[in-house]
Amino acid sequence: MTRTGTSLARLGLTESWAEATLDELGWWVGDRPADGAEEVMWALARSPDPDLALRAVERLTHAASDRTEFDAALRSDAGLRGRLFALLGSSSALGDHLVTHPDRWHRLVTDAPDRDDDTRGAMLRAVGADPAAPPAGSPGGSAATLTGSEAIAALRVAYRDELLLLAAADLAAVGEPDLPVLALEDVAARLADLAAAALQAALAVAVAEAGDEPGRLAIIAMGKTGGHELNYVSDVDVVFVAEPADQTQTRLASRVMRIAGEACFQVDANLRPEGRQGALVRTLDGHVSYYKRWAKTWEFQALLKARPVAGDPELGAAYAEAVAPMVWNAAGRDDFVADVQAMRRRVEEHIRPDHAEREIKLGPGGLRDVEFAVQLLQLVHGRTDEALRSPSTLEALAALADGGYVGRDDGANLAASYRFLRLLEHRLQLQRMRRTHLLPSQNDTHGLRWLARAARLRPDGRHDVVGVLVAEWTRNSRRVRRLHEKLFYRPLLTAVSRLSPDSARLSEAAAAARLGALGWASPEGALGHLRALTSGVSRAASIQHTLLPVLLDELARSPDPDRGLLAYRRVSEALATTPWYLRLLRDEGLVAERLMRLLGTSALVPDLLVRAPEVLRLLAAPTAGHADELARDPAEVAGSLRATVARQHDPDSAAATARSMRRHEILRVACGDLLGVLDLEQVCTALTSVWVAVLQATLESVERAIGHEPPPARLAVIGMGRLGGAELGYASDADVMFVCEPVGGASDHDAVRYSTTVAETVRRRLAAPSPDPALVVDADLRPEGRSGPLVRTIGSYREYYSRWSQAWEAQALLRATVVAGDADLGRRFLHMVDPIRYPAVGIDAATVTEIRRIKARVDDERLPRGADRSTHTKLGHGGLADVEWTVQLLQMQHAGDIPELRTTSTLEGLREAREAGLLTAEDAAELTAGWTMATRARNAVMLVKGKPGDQLPRSGRELAAVAAAMGYPPDGDPGVFLDDYRRTTRRARAVVERVFYGW
């Protein structure tokens, strides 16, 4: 590479034509700057894109009529050099404007005599309106002398002229470091004032085009324009108020939107009452009436920034005065919490997944996070503190910090991050004057370098300029990402702790108001829990101070923050002496996040957790190459349980150990279920597997303890019902039958007596009172029910079933399978009952009628008084009983000649019935969906309430928690879940009525 090329490359000029262009301009000779052009070349090199700036200045030189004067000014005026080269290297769009109007370079000269700082006057004069006359839109207001396309063209040029001046001042320090830096707040405020001036000029043109005498029209700026914090390129949100609100005023407002849209920026009126569906123009009374009766919280949030900017000043002031009191009472509305949650969802829902990591505005840790949080805190605390009522985000954040609502350091750090992110947003929009909030991609090195230089970033010795940009973006977005921790929760701890804060203290009343706004139904109770958790100066209290802001943020997103915080306090107190507990929450972010979701949803989890704290370790993120610990293989768990129990020396210890391990396993499964790690089939398999392992281990320990050598009988445990079908839920009993067989010459009597002792001991050991979930071994499905003997020999069973078996008993046997004890005896028992449950010729019409009659009676007699049949998971329409009885009827009718139907699983039975042509694919799908929905909902009720239940909650937080346990958004509308449940089970019921009842 030549020396010349190397020198230019070091100045950032990499294009092949650069040297020839510089030579033509007279700024470069040979291998060095020309005499008197050294400062010009250095200013050019500091431009964000020197090649872009050089090409633009070449075009400007050719377009200018005073080229010699232009060159001399560049060589002598540092201010001109800084403003011009930084502008041309930052914005191709404004460079094009300057080339189109080359005389405008004079306005960039330091102390330019023709620079007009009266933005409003410049915009009005551009369309021939008198700035000194009453505003257009008011009685006797001035009208423009230009109309139509001529007015739009003049307004467009004037608007770009003002943008050119402002952007040049904003960027000046990029090109010349000694020039003053224009603060972000000043730039945003001047952009908002420019937008207001453009609206005034557009209104003057619209009045002139209307011709007739208009009434009174006021334009209210909303959003960033109203807050004096506008971007370079943005829609301008407005609301129109008119007296009268007739067709004339509607046409006038529409003209304003069209004129401003074609000349300057898009005007968005969708924040008006009823949005796009509402009238474009309303009277003041019409606005007030709407806000009093119909407005949502987000609409009052939008009104935080409402500011009259054009039209009749008296009407605009009256509007602002009328709506302000309603804004500051919004936090007291009954639906405030739900609306806040909906607003939070909207922030997240507008992010494209492939843009999330590059989104400055909507992404995690982006601008919207700060703005949303500041506005929410304003709504909560601005009711009583007028100092917080600024429409500007940065001013409001400073006021929140001054008032103690936000920690001073937190407020300062977030303000700094907000300024940095807004600066990047401004630079990105200036490039082509397009609305964008998206950083260049990681592999776009040129784009990242341009952005870093435009933002006045420099290499820091460890990173080049691109590395500095990426590091600063990451640091600031992460700082904002903990938004709710910083703004919402840390001051709450100051309010309830005895530690002396180094900043103003949030009062307990203000803390309670904030908690109420964030979803706590009992803020005072929550403050009591926080006080208990953080009191004292122990290490645990110190760690809680660090943890709680993060934990409270997660709890606020859960269905029941009150119950979750109480549960967290219970768990923390129960595990106070467990040294690793708080360290785990502090060091493993996923553990803390998952735990809060669990505690804010489930009453069962905290009850189990205080006795099985080791399960907390399973909530950690999976390590590379390993599966999630919450999804362990049930067979592995069962084997470990049996081996551990086998090492116990007496049946009491064995039963206690089995129950303890079952508790651990139920908690693991519950966590995996609620967190979406396990699906329904995995949940049922795991719960059934651990129940079977407990039965097996306890049976073996009891047999060892009784000590008969050799024992007089073999004993097998036959699983029935959900146990036999491997479909156990969290609250399911273990339905079993005990079958024995004498050995070694023992009599039937001795075999039955021995086996009964073993069976009763097993049942008694497992059912002993304990804090653990109950283990009820239910043998009521045996012949003659509770009146019959607990244990029979296989011969006795054969005789009973051959002589006395009823339809319901044959139906019950459809789920029979061996779960414990002597496997060979169990298999022979199943072979013996196969002809009973799978009759070779099916069942006759009378038996079908009897089964239908029994089901109708069960449905009628067992449905609790006052239960809602549409949402009763077991006996409701399309629920568990409906689907299971339908499958079982098909099995009794056809399993004799279709062996594939001989399954104890409901879902497998449905699949095989479909394959055999007994059900259409659509009917099988509807029944499967109904059974799955009802089973999951029944499990969810147990998880949420901590006790069994078949009836879905009708409303309230329990319903929200059940919906969340089912995988619905925790802050969404639980009515969506209820609608889905009713629709799914209604469709299943329609199939049941055709297939089971034959209707």
Side-chain angles (χ1 to χ4, degrees):
M1 184 177 289
T2 67
R3 181 181 176 190
T4 299
T6 301
S7 298
L8 289 179
R10 287 177 177 174
L11 294 175
L13 295 161
T14 60
E15 296 291 344
S16 59
W17 45 261
E19 185 173 1
T21 301
L22 289 169
D23 181 66
E24 180 189 356
L25 292 172
W27 297 346
W28 191 261
V29 177
D31 59 358
R32 63 178 60 87
D35 292 341
E38 293 87 351
E39 295 302 325
V40 174
M41 290 300 300
W42 282 115
L44 178 63
R46 286 188 291 265
S47 173
D49 188 339
D51 287 317
L52 177 66
L54 179 58
R55 180 61 83 193
V57 80
E58 177 197 21
R59 294 168 57 210
L60 178 59
T61 301
H62 289 306
S65 58
D66 47 0
R67 175 173 177 171
T68 302
E69 180 184 356
F70 175 56
D71 181 75
L74 279 176
R75 292 171 185 261
S76 61
D77 188 341
L80 172 63
R81 289 195 299 269
R83 283 184 280 272
L84 182 68
F85 286 133
L87 177 72
L88 296 180
S90 296
S91 177
S92 59
L94 291 179
D96 290 343
H97 177 75
L98 188 57
V99 171
T100 305
H101 305 278
D103 61 302
R104 300 304 200 266
W105 73 263
H106 292 280
R107 304 184 68 187
L108 302 181
V109 173
T110 303
D111 300 325
D114 62 339
R115 186 182 299 155
D116 189 352
D117 292 328
D118 179 12
T119 300
R120 175 180 176 274
M123 298 298 288
L124 288 171
R125 283 191 290 273
V127 296
D130 182 3
S138 59
S142 66
T145 58
L146 299 180
T147 59
S149 59
E150 186 180 5
I152 290 173
L155 188 57
R156 182 185 298 116
V157 171
Y159 183 73
R160 284 297 177 101
D161 282 348
E162 296 300 319
L163 278 181
L164 180 78
L165 288 175
L166 178 54
D170 185 12
L171 290 160
V174 175
E176 286 290 343
D178 293 336
L179 293 177
V181 176
L182 199 59
L184 173 78
E185 297 93 314
D186 292 338
V187 175
R190 287 168 64 173
L191 285 167
D193 288 341
L194 175 57
L199 288 171
Q200 293 172 27
L203 180 55
V205 175
V207 168
E209 291 180 350
D212 49 9
E213 179 65 27
R216 301 167 66 203
L217 179 70
I219 304 177
I220 311 298
M222 310 286 279
K224 291 185 181 298
T225 309
H228 256 116
E229 49 189 10
L230 193 61
N231 301 331
Y232 275 100
V233 183
S234 177
D235 289 353
V236 171
D237 297 306
V238 301
V239 168
F240 294 101
V241 190
E243 298 290 349
D246 55 16
Q247 289 299 316
T248 299
Q249 298 295 73
T250 299
R251 286 193 296 270
L252 187 64
S254 296
R255 282 195 181 97
V256 171
M257 295 178 66
R258 176 183 57 81
I259 293 165
E262 293 183 24
C264 308
F265 41 70
Q266 291 300 309
V267 179
D268 189 339
N270 290 336
L271 291 179
R272 66 185 183 269
E274 300 180 79
R276 295 180 181 179
Q277 308 304 318
L280 181 61
V281 171
R282 288 179 185 241
T283 64
L284 177 59
D285 287 343
H287 279 282
V288 171
S289 176
Y290 172 83
Y291 288 124
K292 284 183 176 179
R293 298 183 60 189
W294 308 112
K296 300 290 186 182
T297 302
W298 70 264
E299 293 178 278
F300 293 110
Q301 183 182 7
L303 287 173
L304 269 171
K305 297 182 181 294
R307 176 172 67 96
V309 293
D312 190 288
E314 292 183 3
L315 183 58
Y319 175 92
E321 183 179 355
V323 300
M326 292 185 278
V327 171
W328 303 115
N329 289 324
R333 295 158 56 97
D334 292 340
D335 56 357
F336 182 74
V337 173
D339 285 344
V340 165
Q341 292 170 340
M343 287 188 285
R344 181 180 288 158
R345 283 198 304 276
R346 277 197 291 273
V347 171
E348 299 168 355
E349 288 171 355
H350 285 78
I351 307 172
R352 277 181 50 175
D354 57 328
H355 287 175
E357 295 302 317
R358 297 164 52 204
E359 255 283 359
I360 295 174
K361 181 178 180 180
L362 300 175
L367 293 166
R368 185 68 82 222
D369 277 354
V370 181
E371 293 162 353
F372 168 81
V374 169
Q375 291 164 23
L376 177 57
L377 292 180
Q378 286 182 278
L379 289 174
V380 173
H381 302 297
R383 291 180 292 174
T384 56
D385 190 343
E386 294 186 6
L388 306 181
R389 299 181 180 182
S390 170
S392 162
T393 299
L394 288 170
E395 288 181 6
L397 185 54
L400 287 165
D402 290 342
Y405 304 100
V406 172
R408 289 187 184 277
D409 288 344
D410 294 339
N413 287 334
L414 279 166
S417 292
Y418 185 73
R419 288 187 176 93
F420 176 75
L421 297 177
R422 285 294 304 275
L423 176 64
L424 295 185
E425 181 185 42
H426 278 188
R427 296 298 181 258
L428 287 167
Q429 293 181 344
L430 266 177
Q431 190 174 28
R432 294 181 178 85
M433 293 307 294
R434 294 178 182 171
R435 184 173 61 179
T436 180
H437 318 97
L438 204 62
L439 287 175
S441 62
Q442 290 185 353
N443 57 7
D444 183 4
T445 305
H446 176 77
L448 290 170
R449 181 180 293 110
W450 166 83
L451 179 59
R453 289 167 62 90
R456 295 186 70 235
L457 298 178
R458 295 290 181 266
D460 62 2
R462 294 178 301 168
H463 303 97
D464 63 6
V465 71
V466 172
V468 170
L469 172 64
V470 172
E472 283 296 297
W473 156 250
T474 302
R475 181 176 69 86
N476 283 280
S477 63
R478 283 179 178 172
R479 184 157 64 181
V480 173
R481 196 166 298 171
R482 296 315 314 167
L483 179 69
H484 300 300
E485 172 193 351
K486 296 286 186 181
L487 293 187
F488 291 147
Y489 302 109
R490 188 164 291 163
L492 298 175
L493 306 185
T494 303
V496 299
S497 70
R498 295 189 178 89
L499 301 178
S500 55
D502 56 3
S503 61
R505 191 185 191 91
L506 187 68
S507 70
E508 290 208 18
R514 183 175 300 185
L515 282 169
L518 293 168
W520 270 264
S522 176
E524 294 78 10
L527 289 174
H529 298 321
L530 295 179
R531 189 178 294 108
L533 287 164
T534 59
S535 61
V537 292
S538 66
R539 179 168 175 77
S542 176
I543 295 176
Q544 291 284 17
H545 266 277
T546 302
L547 279 172
L548 276 167
V550 181
L551 304 185
L552 289 171
D553 181 25
E554 296 297 338
L555 276 179
R557 303 169 188 268
S558 72
D560 195 341
D562 294 86
R563 179 167 65 187
L565 184 55
L566 171 60
Y568 178 66
R569 177 181 174 182
R570 284 176 50 213
V571 171
S572 295
E573 290 173 347
L575 304 184
T577 58
T578 304
W580 51 264
Y581 164 63
L582 288 177
R583 288 202 307 271
L584 179 68
L585 296 186
R586 181 192 62 195
D587 299 337
E588 293 282 350
L590 185 62
V591 174
E593 176 187 336
R594 283 177 157 184
L595 179 61
M596 293 307 104
R597 284 174 58 189
L598 295 169
L599 298 183
T601 304
S602 171
L604 179 64
V605 166
D607 288 345
L608 295 174
L609 188 59
V610 295
R611 292 176 53 79
E614 64 277 5
V615 175
L616 274 175
R617 298 182 187 273
L618 304 184
L619 301 181
T623 56
H626 293 81
D628 197 319
E629 283 292 311
L630 292 175
R632 291 177 61 193
D633 182 3
E636 176 189 334
V637 173
S640 175
L641 186 150
R642 290 194 300 270
T644 302
V645 173
R647 291 194 290 269
Q648 307 305 311
H649 299 296
D650 64 86
D652 287 334
S653 298
T657 300
R659 295 176 68 126
S660 174
M661 296 188 72
R662 177 176 177 264
R663 174 206 318 140
H664 181 289
E665 182 66 359
I666 289 177
L667 179 56
R668 178 190 71 83
V669 174
C671 292
D673 189 358
L674 288 166
L675 295 171
V677 176
L678 301 176
D679 61 27
L680 176 61
E681 206 162 334
Q682 290 172 308
V683 169
C684 291
T685 299
L687 293 175
T688 302
S689 176
V690 72
W691 234 127
V692 169
V694 167
L695 276 172
Q696 292 172 341
T698 307
L699 176 63
E700 291 167 3
S701 72
V702 170
E703 288 178 330
R704 287 196 305 271
I706 290 178
H708 276 278
E709 288 296 340
R714 301 185 184 93
L715 178 63
V717 182
I718 307 300
M720 305 288 284
R722 298 191 180 282
L723 177 63
E727 297 167 349
L728 286 182
Y730 296 100
S732 298
D733 295 343
D735 291 313
V736 302
M737 292 197 302
F738 295 98
V739 57
C740 70
E741 182 179 59
V743 296
S747 66
D748 285 359
H749 175 75
D750 290 340
V752 170
R753 184 173 61 182
Y754 164 79
S755 299
T756 300
T757 300
V758 172
E760 287 180 339
T761 303
V762 168
R763 296 179 71 194
R764 186 170 61 252
R765 298 290 186 201
L766 294 179
S770 167
D772 296 321
L775 283 88
V776 177
V777 179
D778 189 338
D780 289 351
L781 291 177
R782 65 188 185 269
E784 302 178 77
R786 296 181 183 179
S787 302
L790 180 62
V791 183
R792 290 175 182 257
T793 64
I794 189 170
S796 176
Y797 276 109
R798 181 181 296 110
E799 181 178 0
Y800 175 85
Y801 285 128
S802 66
R803 298 182 60 185
W804 310 109
S805 175
Q806 300 180 46
W808 73 265
E809 291 176 303
Q811 183 180 353
L813 287 171
L814 288 168
R815 297 256 192 139
T817 192
V818 184
V819 294
D822 190 281
D824 178 67
L825 175 60
R827 283 192 295 271
R828 286 188 282 118
F829 174 85
L830 295 181
H831 182 71
M832 181 266 293
V833 300
D834 276 350
I836 299 167
R837 57 180 176 171
Y838 309 133
V841 295
I843 55 177
D844 57 26
T847 304
V848 172
T849 300
E850 175 66 9
I851 291 172
R852 290 170 175 167
R853 186 189 63 79
I854 293 172
K855 182 176 188 308
R857 192 184 72 216
V858 168
D859 289 352
D860 184 57
E861 294 177 357
R862 295 188 183 179
L863 187 71
R865 185 184 299 274
D868 182 353
R869 199 176 285 276
S870 70
T871 55
H872 195 275
T873 60
K874 184 175 182 180
L875 300 176
H877 287 159
L880 299 178
D882 266 1
V883 178
E884 290 166 359
W885 281 64
T886 300
V887 173
Q888 290 159 17
L889 179 61
L890 291 174
Q891 289 177 306
M892 295 177 73
Q893 289 175 315
H894 303 286
D897 57 1
I898 304 177
E900 290 79 9
L901 281 176
R902 299 175 186 180
T903 174
T904 61
S905 164
T906 301
L907 294 182
E908 182 65 24
L910 285 169
R911 285 192 286 269
E912 294 301 336
R914 181 196 63 203
E915 290 295 325
L918 303 176
L919 290 173
T920 66
E922 293 78 9
D923 285 351
E926 299 291 8
L927 292 174
T928 298
W931 187 90
T932 301
M933 176 70 85
T935 302
R936 292 186 63 217
R938 194 181 194 213
N939 281 345
V941 170
M942 176 64 184
L943 288 170
V944 168
K945 293 186 174 183
K947 57 185 179 181
D950 295 315
Q951 179 69 61
L952 294 181
R954 288 177 170 82
S955 61
R957 291 199 162 186
E958 278 192 345
L959 176 60
V962 169
M966 294 282 289
Y968 288 77
D971 54 355
D973 180 4
V976 174
F977 156 64
L978 271 186
D979 290 344
D980 288 349
Y981 181 90
R982 290 191 175 109
R983 180 171 55 254
T984 302
T985 53
R986 185 171 62 248
R987 290 173 176 170
R989 175 66 180 188
V991 179
V992 170
E993 289 176 350
R994 283 189 287 103
V995 176
F996 181 83
Y997 289 107
W999 296 351

